[in-house]
Amino acid sequence: MLARSISAIVRPFAQMSLPKSNIRMFSSIQEEYKPEIEGILAGYEFKQKRKQALIGVIVSTKCAKSVTVKVFHKRIKPKYLKEVEVPRKIMAHDEEGLGRMGDVVRIVPCRPMSSKKRHVLMDIVKRPESVTTSNGTVFTTAGRLGRK
């Protein structure tokens, strides 16, 4: 009963339209403050990209135009009330093939490119001097050196 009475009150306000003079006034205000509005919206987009960006280490470059990035996020264990870093592996699209094993990279979400790829490589934050894999192969910034 109460819901019907509220909708009966709200419906007429939703169907109201602004007079044409108010619409003209609003459009002139929009034109007048266009640069300020664009600056504010650009700031929002920058914050949104920064918020969604993930930073991780490349652990695999076996696929063409793809890299596997290990990202850590913090989780609190309820029993001990301690913060623990939990790893997560994410596939990211690398169009130019710039990423190498051991690089610290920034990835951002994008439209799904395959069943596993939903991120794209934005930039390389840091490149290590050399990386040793689990089987003993050493990679440097110059390329592959071989086994130790």
Side-chain angles (χ1 to χ4, degrees), residues 30 33-47:
Q30 249 186 334
Y33 293 105
K34 191 172 184 177
E36 288 85 355
I37 292 170
E38 287 175 358
I40 291 168
L41 292 177
Y44 286 144
E45 290 172 8
F46 172 74
K47 284 180 183 177

Side-chain angles (χ1 to χ4, degrees), residues 50-108:
R50 186 182 68 201
K51 182 180 177 183
Q52 292 180 348
L54 299 170
I55 294 177
V57 180
I58 295 180
V59 293
S60 174
T61 57
K62 291 178 183 175
C63 303
K65 295 187 180 182
S66 298
V67 292
T68 305
V69 180
K70 187 177 268 191
V71 177
F72 290 93
H73 65 279
K74 292 184 179 177
R75 184 180 211 160
I76 295 177
K77 288 291 182 182
K79 184 175 180 182
Y80 304 108
L81 297 176
K82 293 281 185 177
E83 254 186 14
V84 180
E85 282 192 341
V86 182
R88 184 174 54 170
K89 286 203 307 194
I90 298 172
M91 292 281 288
H93 185 67
D94 183 14
E95 183 68 38
E96 293 88 24
L98 299 174
R100 294 192 214 132
M101 282 192 46
D103 290 351
V104 178
V105 295
R106 182 179 293 121
I107 57 175
V108 291

Side-chain angles (χ1 to χ4, degrees), residues 6-22:
I6 290 173
S7 64
I9 294 169
V10 173
R11 193 175 299 128
F13 289 108
Q15 293 172 351
M16 283 177 44
S17 61
L18 289 172
K20 296 214 181 238
S21 61
N22 286 358

